[in-house]
Amino acid sequence: MSLARKATGLASPNPLVGCVLAREGQIVGEGFHQYDWRDHAEIVAIKSAGEKARGATLYVNLEPCNHTGRTGPCTEAIIKAGIQRVVATIDDPNPAVAGGGYDRLRAAGIEVFTGVLEEEARRLNEAFAKWIREKRPFVTLKSAMTLDGQLALPQAGKRKSSTWITSEESRAEVHRMRHASDALLTGIGTILADDPLLTDRSGLPRRRRLLRVILDSKLRLSPRSRIVRTADGDLLVFTNEPLRSAKARSWQKAGVEIVSMKKRAGHVDLEAVLKELGKREILSVLLEAGSALNGAALAADVVDKAFLFYAPRFAGETGVPFAMAKNLKHATLHALNIHQFGPDFAVEGMIHDVYGNH
């Protein structure tokens, strides 16, 4: 699991996979998968072990593949290496191939044990599971608020308040979350109100830049905004304006990619946006938005997980609630986890079970 997590930001659109080879109580090989390396974790570990792989036990956090894609099947490499036993966590999330790797190994006389640390393994690759099954990205709604559920503190007079609600520790965790995501999604309201950068400033390595996605139905985005001035092929705007419009053409000339969508309830169609991102091999989306988009996403039932930061303070009646929507009875969190970041705490919970019946 620890080896697999080292591939965060480096494996997408493939899953996070780590592998350890052990023989006679000693680790003889290990590795994790990076997309640009091509080799799967099992192959990296086998190569690092060399002849010591023969007779060893292979530990891996995902079923070894039994099909040919960018590389050959890992099952054949495991058999050829003379590995005696395989201990794994979960089946391949793709229903079309799940179980096939284990069947091939058993047919070759290799002992196979599965079901170790299943829940942790599922959480590790929940984004890959959603994408491989539905061709849609896994959506995490992240928000930071006061204990009374407000996204902003009262402003002094007419001046905007630049006071952060949450602590430095919470903000550092947000950048780790951005690092683990393929795309960040927000609405034009957040851009106009806060002029944010919305970049991954974790300092951790990633193979492709965090895609910054804005829903802007009327193309109100300003060329002077920080997100536009820092754009370098990593800014995507979904709008209801036609691509032939003067606004759209000016943005395209400025290097901003514009995608025109049909309206749904007067706004950009969220489901169509996620479908388009899935086509672009975006596995995970971090939704960082305001009340309107939070409410719309929850109402459209496109959010898979919520990660809500709470600061130990109250705002009073600021009029900036976490989500504006008429009925969110269906958006119930389960599999709850509570985390602490400095003086703040965060509630993490699932809305959808991306693994089906588990």
Side-chain angles (χ1 to χ4, degrees):
M1 297 289 186
S2 298
L3 284 169
R5 289 189 187 95
K6 288 185 177 182
T8 301
L10 301 172
S12 182
N14 285 349
L16 299 174
V17 185
C19 180
V20 174
L21 282 172
R23 191 172 75 174
E24 298 175 358
Q26 300 293 321
I27 292 176
V28 295
E30 60 181 43
F32 60 91
H33 172 65
Q34 295 187 50
Y35 188 84
D36 291 339
W37 285 2
R38 298 181 69 90
D39 281 349
H40 289 185
E42 298 94 321
I43 307 304
V44 177
I46 288 170
K47 285 181 177 179
S48 72
E51 285 300 314
K52 292 180 180 179
R54 190 162 300 278
T57 296
L58 181 146
Y59 299 87
V60 65
N61 66 290
L62 191 67
E63 176 183 357
C65 67
N66 191 44
H67 55 276
T68 300
R70 294 173 75 229
T71 65
C74 288
T75 50
E76 299 307 315
I78 291 170
I79 294 166
K80 185 178 180 181
I83 289 165
Q84 188 175 27
R85 186 173 67 145
V86 170
V87 180
T89 56
I90 56 174
D91 293 357
D92 192 307
N94 185 351
V97 299
Y102 298 143
D103 292 342
R104 175 69 184 103
L105 294 172
R106 290 188 176 110
I110 296 174
E111 290 182 278
V112 177
F113 297 87
T114 64
V116 182
L117 298 174
E118 285 182 274
E119 288 307 313
E120 186 178 350
R122 290 192 185 110
R123 288 197 302 271
L124 188 64
N125 277 305
E126 57 198 5
F128 176 76
K130 175 70 179 285
W131 182 78
I132 202 69
R133 287 165 175 257
E134 302 180 28
K135 295 304 177 188
R136 306 282 181 92
F138 183 92
V139 177
T140 299
L141 191 164
K142 166 263 159 185
S143 203
M145 66 191 92
T146 59
L147 289 176
D148 49 348
Q150 298 293 315
L151 299 182
L153 296 169
Q155 296 176 4
K158 295 183 179 180
R159 293 182 62 188
K160 279 190 175 182
S161 171
S162 59
T163 304
W164 292 98
I165 290 179
T166 51
S167 64
E168 288 185 12
E169 292 89 342
S170 291
R171 298 198 295 276
E173 179 62 20
V174 169
H175 282 287
R176 285 191 288 270
M177 293 175 70
R178 290 180 181 180
H179 173 252
S181 303
D182 291 335
L184 189 153
L185 175 64
T186 194
I188 185 61
T190 296
I191 302 298
L192 296 177
D194 301 332
D195 193 22
L197 281 171
L198 300 179
T199 51
D200 170 10
R201 298 191 290 281
S202 66
L204 299 170
R206 59 185 306 141
R207 63 172 295 266
R208 49 182 182 176
R209 297 183 69 177
L210 177 68
L211 180 66
R212 298 178 289 175
V213 182
I214 303 173
L215 304 188
D216 184 5
S217 59
K218 298 178 181 178
L219 280 185
R220 294 186 290 158
L221 187 63
S222 168
R224 295 182 297 277
S225 62
R226 295 201 298 166
I227 200 166
V228 171
R229 287 189 281 115
T230 58
D232 184 18
D234 61 344
L235 183 58
L236 177 61
V237 177
F238 287 94
T239 185
N240 296 138
E241 293 286 318
L243 293 181
R244 295 179 180 177
S245 70
K247 286 182 179 179
R249 286 201 302 269
S250 66
W251 282 121
Q252 288 169 323
K253 288 179 181 178
V256 177
E257 185 177 0
I258 307 291
V259 176
S260 182
M261 292 271 182
K262 292 182 179 179
K263 288 185 180 180
R264 184 169 183 175
H267 300 284
V268 176
D269 187 340
L270 269 172
E271 291 188 5
V273 166
L274 294 173
K275 186 176 180 180
E276 173 62 26
L277 293 177
K279 289 179 181 177
R280 296 172 181 236
E281 295 189 331
I282 298 296
L283 273 59
S284 53
V285 168
L286 186 62
L287 176 61
E288 293 193 42
S291 305
L293 186 49
N294 284 349
L298 289 167
D301 202 20
V302 299
V303 176
D304 298 297
K305 176 195 282 189
F307 204 106
L308 309 176
F309 292 86
Y310 288 90
R313 59 203 305 182
F314 298 96
E317 296 182 8
T318 66
V320 191
F322 158 65
M324 290 193 297
K326 291 182 179 180
N327 186 354
L328 296 180
K329 290 181 180 179
H330 64 278
T332 302
L333 300 185
H334 59 91
L336 292 178
N337 285 295
I338 309 296
H339 311 273
Q340 185 159 5
F341 302 101
D344 310 327
F345 70 92
V347 177
E348 177 187 16
M350 301 295 296
I351 295 178
H352 295 143
D353 182 355
V354 296
Y355 286 93
N357 296 322
H358 292 292

